[in-house]
Amino acid sequence: MAYDGLGRLTDVWLADRDRATEQIPSTKFEYTVQRELASWVATKSLNNDGKSYTTSYAIYDALPRPRQTQAPAAVGTGWVITTTKYGTRGWQWKPQAITPTPPHPAARWPPRSLPLRRVLRRCTTV
């Protein structure tokens, strides 16, 4: 495993990957903490080809509680998006699975490019 200067996990090599022989990690994590826009973590999972990654995102609110997850759909070219809302007491309220309406702004991701409110406006509830 590898960590950044803040002690956050950045790379993971599973038993089938060898870090000593400079094989690429099984999973990579990228962190972005922002003041004006939602903070997020990108998780890159190694594909079966052993060379490319599939990226999913976890977006957090200011507290930092999980607010939304985004992952590529298993079939097709869309994204599976799950949103969690919180009540006035801070308890989880009304998690939703939503699917993006075409065209989805996936080409403009990572999500740092859009405020969370704009992302939610482009989606419909399933």
Side-chain angles (χ1 to χ4, degrees), residues 68 70 81 109 114-123:
Q68 188 177 92
Q70 301 181 9
I81 301 175
W109 289 94
L114 291 175
L116 184 58
R117 283 187 290 266
R118 287 183 56 202
V119 171
L120 294 175
R121 260 188 247 131
R122 293 177 184 223
C123 301

Side-chain angles (χ1 to χ4, degrees), residues 81-120:
I81 301 175
T82 305
T83 299
T84 303
K85 295 181 181 180
Y86 296 90
T88 57
R89 294 183 181 180
W91 296 344
Q92 182 176 333
W93 174 77
K94 199 174 184 179
Q96 296 176 324
I98 52 180
T99 183
T101 56
H104 187 267
R108 291 188 281 187
W109 289 94
R112 66 175 173 240
S113 60
L114 291 175
L116 184 58
R117 283 187 290 266
R118 287 183 56 202
V119 171
L120 294 175

